[in-house]
Each structure stands twice: as structure tokens, then as C-alpha cells.
Amino acid sequence: MSGADAGVLTTCPYCGVGCGVRVPAADAAVQGDVTHPANGGRLCVKGSTLHETLVPQGRLLQPLQRVAESGPDTLQPLAWDAALDRIAARFARTIAEHGPDSVAFYVSGQLLTEDYYVANKLMKGYIGSGNIDTNSRLCMSSAVAGHKRAFGEDVVPGCYEDFEVADLIVLVGSNTAWCHPVLYQRIVAAKERRPALKLVVVDPRRTPTCDLADLHLPLLPGSDVPLFNGLLVWLAAHGAVDRDFVDGHTRGLDAALAVARDSAGDLDALARQCGVQRERLEAFYALFAATEKTVTLFSQGVNQSGQGTDKVNSIINCHLLSGRIGRPGMGPFSMTGQPNAMGGREVGGLANTLAAHLDFAEPAQRALVQRFWASPRIAERPGLKAVDLFEAVHAGRIKAIWIVATNPVVSLPDADRVREALRRCEFVVVSDVVQHTDTAQLAHLLLPALAWGEKDGTVTNSERCISRQRAFRPAPGEARPDWWAFAGVAARMGWAEAFAYDTPAAIFDEHARLSAFENDGARRFDLRGLAGLTRAEYDALAPIRWPVLERGQGTDRLYGDGRFSHADGRAVFVPTAPVAPAHAPDAGYPLVLNTGRVRDQWHTMTRTGLAPTLGAHLPEPYVDLHPADALACGVRDGGLARVISRWGSLVVRVRSSGELRRGQVFVPIHWNDQFASDARVGALVNPVVDPLSGEPEFKHTPVRVEEFRADWHGLAYTRGTVDLQRLAWWARVQTTAAQRYEFAGRGVIADRAQWARAFLGVDEPAPDWIEYRDDGSGVYHAAYIRDGRLQACLYIAPREMLPARDWFAGLFERLRLSLRDRASLMAAEPFSGGADAGPQVCSCYKVGRNTILKAIREQGLSTPRQVTACLKAGGNCGSCLPEIRGLLAECALVERAEPA
Ligand SMILES: Nc1nc2c(c(=O)[nH]1)N[C@H]1C(S)=C(S)[C@@H](COP(=O)(O)OP(=O)(O)OC[C@H]3O[C@@H](n4cnc5c(=O)[nH]c(N)nc54)[C@H](O)[C@@H]3O)O[C@H]1N2
Ligand SMILES: Nc1nc2c(c(=O)[nH]1)N[C@H]1C(S)=C(S)[C@@H](COP(=O)(O)OP(=O)(O)OC[C@H]3O[C@@H](n4cnc5c(=O)[nH]c(N)nc54)[C@H](O)[C@@H]3O)O[C@H]1N2
Ligand code: SF4
Ligand SMILES: [Mo]
């Protein structure tokens, strides 16, 4: 798939949509792959800025070990051989002294299938413990458990085309517009072609995904089970039952319906329980009942809950009752988060699954896997799930852990305890592509991994489509594939022959053969048609949906024939009784904290944080809350607030977007110690998990919000580093040529100029330093210029009286500052070169809020299409169209309020 014309075809390493990417040349901007079934050439802003992340900054380039003798936190390079020797020896010794369950791997849905397969085989088949878990525990495990209960296997029955042929799409707990933008664009395009296609969003927040929704149900957090139980009862009562399907292909309806009837009550009670108007509830139920072609997509608002698995089954129950599954345009659809969340499930990367959709529960299945691997032992029982696994590290039961492609000190609940657990752990190995992460800081040994563009293998997206990630850049420094590191340790532990892989193709072949091994069709996950590929065939592999029973023939949909994976071939209705959240709000912690994603950042920002285009949309960590709650808590929009739970706290900017109802707050998950002084929201999250799946309740923690008092506030842009110790609070973001810092401090600064120079690290005796000061008001502006180029600028003010800032970054790109530029810097206002564009709305074309508002007002624009025609904004990935529509509405409101 490489060639002078085509460039290299590969797959986006971000979300589970799994878009195909074309790389025309190693240093050129990437494009969408028009031949890929997931995206047909489209990319969202994260995908289209991938080249901005291919930078050497921050890369981990050689194995490093922490040496205590040379003082705290000293890292010394060591050779790969020595590093792998050390891991193998340490793991072997720990296992010999304390047994196989005293060690663990914690891996990730961002690994390639080949990496994942080798890690899982080593732990379960050779070390003989189930203690390998993955960040997919935090993401997909409730969907996995729900699928297994209902279908007998972890299968997503449908495919993306179903969204285009459906007549009703229900999005439950999914901010699709921001988190799965290309799928959302496919939905938007389908709705434009066919306005009769209805869209319902079930989310406590009014997210950008609600923009085009025909109906939004802003349900109370956690009330999905009663909502879907109510739907089940309604469908049964209103004749929307597929009797033949239910009788011939399912079991358990009566019990499920009885529980649903018990819990749902009458419609008024149900509406109160869910916090939605009765009319809206009825409208949703009636629409669902009347629409055969219905797809229900669900994501983290469903999975990440103390009752996540029941939420999943309450949705699937409704599809089973109406027989809407596995046929075009209908079915429950679990959207995966990470690029290879699905691949990890195929290899059995979760602690409670074995491999290739085989399980621990059946001795015959354990024996099968052991026979295939010809391994000395096989784990006898499931290992510890992520939250319990880190608890075991904390308690000292797990003494050595290898963490690969995930950042648990940020992303697990009760994250300060996770940090403490790793601090106590005797031996922590971290494999990552970057050197500085909150987790890497606690590693005894750091291993450099290949990043996107360098690694080579396969991933599987939400619709079971296996795609190649191909390398198009050489490995930098001594970075190596993760599978190679696992195989190297295995070899040193005495299992060289079983791990003698020379290429990812060899690993994939073994994985495909295992899926087919003694598989008479009982396991739908079957890649027999992909076994025995030559190296060249593997390299050229085109995207294909599993099961693949014949070479080149994928499968669009499963279960359309009504034959499920349970032994009796039937699907199961699971009774789902509603359960109250483990921790309810009370007087001390009156608000419910919901956490999730923003449009332009990916998780802990190790890669998207490098892209200036992506930092411009929402540059600071924030807490979003209702204006009335803000007032009650004594915080202001734009001010700083401390958010506190029983488990931890953080300090972030206050924002009242209007998306939240009273009683709820939202904090994004991305910021961490590398990007802000105090913004790891994981520290606040209650360590409550779903009893079946072990997936954490990330969307519901009681908190309170207080003002964070500071005596002065500041803003700085610099090409260099700053002295963060001088600040009470800070957050940083990458702009084109400089880092931007927002900050706040306490106490009195005696000499502002001296303070500013020390803060910016300016130690030249006579720098080109310009400043403006107003000692009466406490305002201070300074800029530092070298050889005509701007090096840094800084603004300090009491309260948040800081200048509009989105135009500063451009000054760092000038080769020589003009007199006007210097004057602008001191006035903190652009004199030339256009006005302040305002915060970025369209990241693809870099169009700011002020520019859009001005065009709307001055040119009388009234539709997003006109805005795009005028400014290009919204014309590429379309993720900003909801915001553009919002700005149009804002202008229309103002016009109505003040008629000309
Ligand atoms: N931009 C961006 N995209 C991403 C990612 C990223 O980091 N950044 N990460 C990827 C990954 S790994 C994942 S898992 C996906 C996640 O994709 P999503 O699941 O769409 O994202 P979230 O923001 O976690 O949460 C989804 C929604 O659930 C809602 N919610 C909260 N509580 C409830 C509830 O009780 N019921 C219901 N019905 N809804 C509720 C929240 O308000 C939120 O809007 O995104 C993927 N895509
Ligand atoms: N409060 C709250 N917490 C959450 C969530 C939430 O909604 N709310 N969502 C949860 C979900 S769904 C998810 S998926 C997790 C994500 O959380 P994490 O997995 O912890 O987040 P990432 O930043 O994606 O971490 C991936 C790490 O692997 C590195 N990396 C990238 N590629 C490779 C590679 O090929 N090899 C190696 N060795 N390293 C690599 C990156 O630099 C980064 O440090 O967060 C979970 N945590
Ligand atoms: S939608 Fe997801 S897979 Fe597609 S380009 Fe965007 S981040 Fe990448
Ligand atoms: Mo995820």
C-alpha cells in the first residue's frame, strides 16, 4: 500500500472510529484515505493535525533507569539488553518468591493487536497469572460484560452503514460530535440527505451533539436503567414486539419485563425519576416503538457507571424485544473509545478474558488455549481488574508492575491513591513514547516505544474492521516496538522459542490461527480467512470486518439470522433493576461531578498537547456549572475555583457554558501535572466500580465548588521555561512558537520587574526588556526581545484583568518586531495586522470566535453554510458546526433584544 502516488495508507491512532489516513510523504500533512470504509476520506481535526504531533519534543529515546544513589530522580540511560535482563530477572525473582500473582501488566487499547497478543500470552500462558488488565477496563468492560450476558459473546452486531440507513438514531451517553466526529459527520450527512432520519440524544448535558437532535433527554445522571426499563414496558404495552423473534431466538423476557414493570412505575413517576418531562419521555418511547430501523449507539455515559453493565443490557433488551438486531439500519451499537479497544478484546487483554473470545470459566477452553500455545501453564482464574489491581499494588501484594501505553496516575479513579500505590511498589516499569508523564515519574525503568508513524501492525475499530497501521518513519533513537520488548523479556525468562517472532506479521498469523483453532463456529470471532497470509499479503491487507471465514471476505453484520453465541443459540433478556449511585450528593458535597472529553484533546495530552492547532480551542482546564450554582458557590465565570470531593481536589477555571442543569458540574479529563499545577480530575473521582465489569463510575462523584483566592493573576508567552515554584496556580498550552502560561499567585510582589525576569529566567545583564507599569492599579506588562525577535511577554494584574490573548502567539513567528508590534505588546492590544480573532472555534482553518461574530453581524449571515462560504470555518471536519450554530443563535438573540 505504499507507492509514489498513493503514499502510505495507515489508520488514525486516536478514536475508535478508526479512520483511514493517507500520508503522501513522511513530512507532509496527512489526508483522509478515500478508500477506507470507516471514513471515505474524511478526517476530524485531531486526525488532520497528526503531522503536528510528529515532533521530537519530549520523546523518550532510550531506556532509562532511576538511580537513587545519585540523588532523587536521577535517570540514567542503559542498553536495551541490560534493561530487558533487569525486567526478566526481577519478574522471575518476584514470581519465585511470591508466586505468579505477585506481578502484573497494565496495558492499553492504544497498543496494536500484535503488541497486545504477545503481552497477554506471556502473562496468562507463561507466567501463569491472570494479572494483565488494560485501560479498556475503564472504557469498554461494561459493554463487554453486557454483550456476553445478552449474546454469549462480546460481539458488536452492526456496522457504520447502519447509521446511514436507519430511520432513528438514539445516542446514549455519547458526545459523538466531539468524541467520534467522523461518524457524527456521517450521521449529519445522512440527515441532510434524508431529513426524516430522527436523532435522539440521551445525555444529562446539552452537548454539541444535541445540536441537530430532534429530541434531547437531559436525564438525571445514572437514570438510564429506569429510562430503558420504561421503554421496554412501553414497547410491550404498545405492541412493538417481534413475537416470532422473541419466541424463536431469545429467553428470559418474562423475568426482565417483570423487573422493568416493578421499577418503571407509571409515566409520571418515571419522568420524575429520570428528571425529564413526561411529554419528552412519551415522544421518545412512541418514536422508538414506531421505528423499525433504529440504531442505539452507546458510549461512556452508559459504560462508565456503577451500573454500567445493567445499563447496556437495559438497552439491548429493547432491541431484542422488537427483534431489531443484526439487520441493516438497526441494532444496539457500542462505540469503542480507543483505536484498538476492540483488538484488545479479541486477544483477551482484559484480566477476566483468556484469548480469542475464550474464557476462564470453562476448563476445556483453558486447555484449548494452553494446547495451542504449547505453554507450560495457563492462568487458572481471572486476574485483578484495574481498580483492584492497583489496590493490590498499594497493599504490596503486587510487587512488580509493567505499565504500557497508558497513564494510570491520571486516568484511574482515586488517582492520588494510585500514585501512592506506585510510589510504594518495589519495581515499576513504564513503556511510553514520551519521557515526561505523571506515571513515568514513578518508574524505576522507562522503555522507549514506537509512536504512530513508526509502529507497524493492526487495529480493530468499533465496527469490527481490522486495519493496518503502517510505519512511514524510521524509529527515532532506540525506540522499539512494544511486542519486541515483551518478547525479549519472555525469551530471557526462558521461553525464547514460544516468543521467537521476527515481525508483526508472524504474531498476527498466530492470533488468526488461535481464533480458528478447534472453532466449529461456536466462537464468532474467527479470523481463519486471515491465517497464513504471506508477509506481502499482510503488508497489503485492506480493511476487513471480522469474522473472516474466507480469504478477503469480511462480515458486515452478525446475528441477523437470530442465532446467537450462547450454547442454545438464544439471546438473553437480562433483568435490570435500578440501583442508586454508591455516593449520593449531601450537604457537604452537594453537586454531582461528571467527567469527559473535549473536542481537540486526546486523553492525557501526551500527543495532542504538542499540536498548537489543537491547544487553541479550549486552552485551559475548567469546571463547567450552571450559573445559579456558580452564584451559590461564590464563583464567577472566568475566575478560578477549587473543586473538592472526599477523595481529592483540583483548581480550574470556571465556565458556565449553559450545557448543564443545576446540581451537576463537568470537568474535562485531559489536564495533568505536565500541563497544569493542579488539574488531575482522576484525583476526585470515587473508586466505585460496576460489580460485574469492574468499570469505574467516572460520571458520578459528589463534590463541592469553592472560590480559589489569588492576589494577582498573570499571563505569559515564552520560548523558554518559567519558574513555576513562584505561582499558586498555573496551566500551560503549546502555541506555534511559544508556550502560553496562565497563572495566579499570592502575596505581594515587591519588585515586579525583578520578579518577572526571575520568573522568565532572563539573566542577561542588559536585555532588550520593555515594560509598562501602573503601580496604582497593580498592572504590569513586560516583553523580552533578543535580536529583534520576541522571546517572552508577561502580563500581571489584580483579579483577572488580563488582556485578550489569542493574537500574541503570532508575534512569536515574526523575524523582527516592528515598532508597532512593540507598542502593541505594551498596550496589550493589536495595533496592526488585524484584530484579535478571539478563541479558536474552527481548528481546521484556524478561525476565531470574534472573526465569526464579526462576519455574521457585518454580512448578515444566518446559516452555518453561509459562514463556511464566507470564512471556510466548519468546511472541513465539521466538528465546530455546533459552535457556529451557537454563535448564529447568539447574534440572532442579540438582534431580537436590540432591534436596529
Ligand atoms: N476528542 C476526543 N475524542 C475522543 C477521546 C478523547 O480523549 N478526545 N477519547 C476516546 C475514548 S478512549 C473514548 S472512551 C470515547 C468516549 O466518548 P464519549 O463516551 O462520547 O465521551 P465522554 O465525554 O466520556 O462521555 C459521554 C457523555 O456521557 C454523558 N453522561 C454522563 N453521565 C451520564 C449518564 O448517567 N447517562 C447518560 N446517558 N449519559 C451520561 C456525559 O455528559 C458525556 O457527554 O471518546 C474517544 N474519542
Ligand atoms: N475521570 C475520568 N477518567 C477517565 C475517563 C473518563 O471519562 N473520566 N475515561 C477513561 C477512558 S475511557 C480511557 S480510554 C482512559 C485513557 O487514559 P490513558 O490510557 O491513561 O491515557 P492516554 O493519555 O491515552 O495514555 C496513553 C499513554 O501511552 C503513550 N503511548 C501512546 N502510544 C503508545 C505506544 O504505541 N506504545 C507505548 N508504550 N506508549 C504509547 C502515550 O504517550 C500516553 O502516555 O482514561 C480513563 N479515565
Ligand atoms: S474521527 Fe477518530 S479516527 Fe477519525 S480522524 Fe478523528 S480521531 Fe481519528
Ligand atoms: Mo476510552
Side-chain angles (χ1 to χ4, degrees):
M1 280 294 141
S2 58
D5 295 336
V8 174
L9 297 183
T10 180
T11 313
C12 177
Y14 296 124
C15 84
V17 177
C19 297
V21 174
R22 194 169 84 84
V23 186
D27 51 358
V30 304
Q31 297 164 0
D33 171 4
V34 290
T35 65
H36 199 286
N39 58 321
R42 294 181 179 91
L43 288 181
C44 77
V45 65
K46 292 187 299 304
S48 52
T49 49
L50 269 168
H51 55 282
E52 287 185 28
T53 67
L54 301 176
V55 290
Q57 268 133 281
R59 277 301 291 268
L60 175 62
L61 293 172
Q62 54 191 344
L64 297 173
Q65 63 181 335
R66 202 168 296 280
V67 259
E69 307 89 66
S70 352
D73 265 17
T74 309
L75 288 168
Q76 265 180 4
L78 79 167
W80 263 105
D81 253 336
L84 298 179
D85 283 347
R86 199 177 148 197
I87 300 172
R90 187 64 183 238
F91 269 67
R93 199 178 82 207
T94 309
I95 294 164
E97 286 173 10
H98 305 282
D101 290 337
S102 63
V103 300
F105 297 160
Y106 183 59
V107 300
S108 157
Q110 289 164 78
L111 289 177
L112 302 173
T113 299
E114 291 76 2
D115 299 318
Y116 232 136
Y117 178 87
V118 176
N120 189 57
K121 177 177 172 182
L122 173 57
M123 183 52 84
K124 292 186 182 140
Y126 285 78
I127 290 175
S129 166
N131 281 348
I132 170 170
D133 208 36
T134 145
N135 64 0
S136 281
R137 178 70 56 201
L138 320 179
C139 183
M140 302 315 305
S141 59
S142 295
V144 173
H147 289 155
K148 286 169 95 165
R149 288 203 299 188
F151 309 144
E153 187 173 350
D154 175 23
V155 168
V156 174
C159 62
Y160 296 156
E161 270 150 28
D162 291 329
F163 293 89
E164 289 161 337
V165 296
D167 294 321
L168 168 64
I169 298 174
V170 186
L171 303 173
V172 193
S174 162
N175 187 5
T176 330
W178 279 13
C179 295
H180 298 102
V182 167
L183 181 68
Y184 187 71
Q185 288 316 311
R186 285 180 68 165
I187 296 173
V188 170
K191 196 163 162 59
E192 273 172 8
R193 281 193 304 272
R194 208 161 37 88
L197 164 60
K198 292 276 186 283
L199 197 60
V200 176
V201 176
V202 182
D203 193 311
R205 291 193 298 155
R206 190 179 170 78
T207 62
T209 303
C210 299
D211 180 39
L212 288 184
D214 298 282
L215 186 64
H216 171 217
L217 300 181
L219 81 177
L220 289 173
S223 61
D224 304 75
V225 168
L227 182 85
F228 284 94
N229 280 351
L231 175 59
L232 192 75
V233 174
W234 175 285
L235 295 174
H238 291 77
V241 178
D242 184 338
R243 259 293 141 211
D244 290 344
F245 180 83
V246 170
D247 293 344
H249 304 287
T250 69
R251 61 185 143 93
L253 173 60
D254 292 348
L257 204 50
V259 167
R261 285 203 180 102
D262 268 1
S263 72
D266 68 28
L267 267 188
D268 288 314
L270 187 59
R272 272 195 306 279
Q273 199 182 346
C274 298
V276 274
Q277 292 160 343
R278 183 190 156 130
E279 295 71 34
R280 287 199 193 197
L281 206 58
E282 278 183 298
F284 168 52
Y285 289 175
L287 193 58
F288 195 106
T291 317
E292 165 87 347
K293 286 191 178 171
T294 296
V295 183
T296 307
L297 176 150
F298 57 94
S299 186
Q300 301 315 341
V302 170
N303 296 344
Q304 290 174 340
S305 155
Q307 206 189 0
T309 309
D310 277 351
K311 285 192 184 186
V312 171
N313 286 108
S314 70
I315 292 170
I316 295 177
N317 285 347
C318 296
H319 279 269
L320 292 177
L321 186 70
S322 51
R324 296 172 190 161
I325 197 158
R327 289 183 285 138
M330 56 188 88
F333 196 101
S334 150
M335 199 59 204
T336 57
Q338 299 175 91
N340 202 27
M342 183 72 87
R345 285 144 68 179
E346 293 158 12
V347 303
L350 290 159
N352 55 321
T353 59
L354 196 47
H357 285 200
L358 291 155
D359 265 316
F360 285 100
E362 297 278 334
Q365 299 199 351
R366 294 204 301 273
L368 182 155
V369 177
Q370 189 177 5
R371 217 169 27 255
F372 180 82
W373 281 339
S375 66
R377 54 186 78 80
I378 190 93
E380 293 290 318
R381 54 180 186 281
L384 294 173
K385 299 178 179 131
V387 171
D388 293 340
L389 190 143
F390 279 87
E391 206 39 52
V393 174
H394 195 277
R397 292 195 303 279
I398 288 177
K399 297 169 194 303
I401 185 165
W402 188 353
I403 298 167
V404 187
T406 178
N407 196 353
V409 168
V410 185
S411 54
L412 276 170
D414 200 1
D416 287 343
R417 190 169 170 89
V418 172
R419 174 175 274 171
E420 179 54 28
L422 289 179
R423 241 182 226 137
R424 292 169 170 210
C425 188
E426 291 171 17
F427 190 55
V428 179
V429 183
V430 172
S431 297
D432 206 294
V433 300
V434 301
Q435 180 170 343
H436 299 288
T437 73
D438 293 1
T439 302
Q441 271 169 353
L442 298 166
H444 298 103
L445 198 56
L446 275 168
L447 299 179
L450 295 183
W452 184 79
E454 300 146 13
K455 52 185 192 174
D456 191 34
T458 55
V459 292
T460 312
N461 72 6
S462 306
E463 56 165 358
R464 293 171 280 104
C465 183
I466 299 174
S467 303
R468 289 278 278 111
Q469 263 197 30
R470 295 184 175 88
F472 55 90
R473 291 156 60 88
E478 291 176 36
R480 294 284 179 275
D482 291 307
W483 64 261
W484 179 88
F486 281 115
V489 167
R492 284 165 176 79
M493 291 178 79
W495 303 306
E497 206 184 321
F499 289 85
Y501 308 110
D502 53 352
T503 57
I507 304 167
F508 184 82
D509 182 55
E510 188 177 309
H511 165 59
R513 283 188 295 109
L514 173 55
S515 74
F517 187 62
E518 298 176 13
N519 187 355
D520 56 4
R523 284 133 55 201
R524 298 302 164 88
F525 176 68
D526 191 335
L527 305 182
R528 70 184 61 219
L530 294 174
L533 296 180
T534 62
R535 178 76 205 268
E537 285 169 332
Y538 175 79
D539 283 343
L541 186 67
I544 189 162
R545 293 187 193 108
W546 64 255
V548 184
L549 302 179
E550 306 274 346
R551 183 73 35 105
Q553 291 201 350
T555 310
D556 294 344
R557 297 178 185 84
L558 290 112
Y559 300 147
D561 57 0
R563 203 170 53 83
F564 292 87
S565 304
H566 282 297
D568 62 359
R570 286 174 182 265
V572 173
F573 285 92
V574 180
T576 52
V579 176
H583 300 284
D586 55 27
Y589 303 92
L591 303 165
V592 172
L593 169 69
N594 173 5
T595 61
R597 289 145 175 87
V598 305
R599 193 187 78 193
D600 290 359
Q601 292 297 347
W602 176 263
H603 295 170
T604 70
M605 298 166 74
T606 60
R607 291 164 297 156
T608 45
L610 296 166
T613 304
L614 299 180
H617 180 236
L618 289 166
E620 276 185 288
Y622 64 86
V623 55
D624 196 352
L625 76 175
H626 191 278
D629 285 332
L631 196 67
C633 298
V635 298
R636 279 175 302 112
D637 204 356
L640 291 173
R642 186 180 284 285
V643 185
I644 308 165
S645 80
R646 285 195 182 82
W647 294 268
S649 76
L650 51 53
V651 180
V652 288
R653 191 73 65 193
V654 176
R655 185 166 177 255
S656 288
S657 68
E659 290 177 2
L660 288 151
R661 293 168 64 159
R662 286 210 66 176
Q664 303 172 24
V665 306
F666 177 85
V667 176
I669 62 173
H670 309 287
W671 279 268
N672 54 73
D673 291 1
Q674 312 301 313
F675 292 89
S677 55
D678 193 2
R680 273 162 58 248
V681 74
L684 282 71
V685 174
N686 45 203
V688 171
V689 301
D690 177 278
L692 264 148
S693 68
E695 179 150 352
E697 170 60 276
F698 281 122
K699 306 294 196 226
H700 193 287
T701 303
V703 295
R704 68 169 177 272
V705 176
E706 294 174 353
E707 186 189 9
F708 177 80
R709 281 178 193 279
D711 297 317
W712 40 267
H713 294 260
L715 162 73
Y717 280 81
T718 174
R719 291 183 202 274
T721 52
V722 294
D723 179 7
L724 298 169
Q725 301 305 320
R726 294 167 179 267
L727 308 173
W729 179 87
W730 61 268
R732 89 175 156 89
V733 63
Q734 178 73 48
T735 70
T736 39
Q739 299 276 328
R740 165 174 145 190
Y741 288 87
E742 303 283 340
F743 54 84
R746 296 222 175 91
V748 180
I749 304 176
D751 180 338
R752 287 199 173 76
Q754 194 189 28
W755 188 94
R757 284 191 204 187
F759 176 67
L760 294 169
V762 179
D763 51 11
E764 280 171 62
D768 184 355
W769 179 268
I770 47 178
E771 61 181 25
Y772 160 83
R773 56 196 300 167
D774 175 349
D775 288 341
S777 70
V779 169
Y780 178 78
H781 300 175
Y784 167 41
I785 298 150
R786 192 192 292 143
D787 301 330
R789 293 191 83 182
L790 182 58
Q791 299 300 316
C793 58
L794 169 140
Y795 301 84
I796 295 178
R799 307 181 64 77
E800 294 92 349
M801 288 162 48
L802 292 165
R805 41 185 77 45
D806 295 282
W807 58 281
F808 282 113
L811 293 180
F812 285 83
E813 289 167 52
R814 307 259 161 98
L815 285 179
R816 183 151 217 99
L817 289 185
S818 68
L819 287 175
R820 267 173 177 274
D821 291 337
R822 293 170 73 105
S824 302
L825 276 168
M826 286 307 99
E829 206 168 278
F831 283 156
S832 59
D836 177 19
Q840 192 160 295
V841 173
C842 170
S843 297
C844 296
Y845 293 114
K846 301 190 172 49
V847 188
R849 181 188 156 90
N850 297 348
T851 312
I852 298 174
L853 286 173
K854 188 162 176 262
I856 295 174
R857 288 199 190 105
E858 291 180 0
Q859 304 189 41
L861 311 179
S862 58
T863 66
R865 224 177 259 281
Q866 290 172 341
V867 173
T868 303
C870 180
L871 301 168
K872 284 175 132 182
N876 183 40
C877 79
S879 312
C880 63
L881 286 172
E883 281 158 280
I884 292 178
R885 254 182 279 269
L887 295 177
L888 284 162
E890 195 179 307
C891 290
L893 270 182
V894 173
E895 253 172 49
R896 239 175 287 147
E898 322 161 351

